Amino acid sequence: MKVFVIVAILAGLLFGAVDINTAGKDELMSLKGIGIKKADAILKYRKTHCFKSIEDLTIVKGIGPKFIEKNKKALSASVCKN
């Protein structure tokens, strides 16, 4: 499990920001402040909704504006189909 997180972190550094609309659990967990529970909450929300901007992450319980500010450079939100 730790190996996957390390790979996700390295991939994020090499290839750019984590896309909150397409990232897997391990990639989400590579962000500062995101553990298993918050990653699961993001994925659960994403099953029925789409993040139109990185600020939409605050809709997910436990994620606030401070998280967005700390991770702003590491986040992106691809265009939604919803």
Side-chain angles (χ1 to χ4, degrees):
M1 180 70 146
K2 289 182 182 181
V3 173
F4 292 116
V5 173
I6 292 169
V7 170
I9 291 169
L10 291 175
L13 292 173
L14 292 173
F15 301 112
V18 173
D19 185 335
I20 57 176
N21 283 317
T22 61
K25 187 175 186 174
D26 290 331
E27 194 174 3
L28 290 169
M29 289 173 48
S30 73
L31 297 165
K32 295 176 187 174
I34 298 291
I36 293 171
K37 289 183 181 182
K38 287 183 185 174
D40 285 340
I42 292 168
L43 294 173
K44 182 179 178 183
Y45 178 85
R46 203 171 71 192
K47 283 183 182 179
T48 57
H49 300 86
C50 185
F51 296 105
K52 293 183 175 114
S53 71
I54 61 172
E55 288 78 14
D56 283 356
L57 269 175
T58 59
I59 296 168
V60 177
K61 185 178 179 180
I63 299 177
K66 287 182 183 180
F67 168 81
I68 302 296
E69 191 59 37
K70 287 180 185 177
N71 290 283
K72 197 173 227 170
K73 292 181 181 179
L75 294 169
S76 70
S78 60
V79 177
C80 299
K81 293 181 182 179
N82 295 352

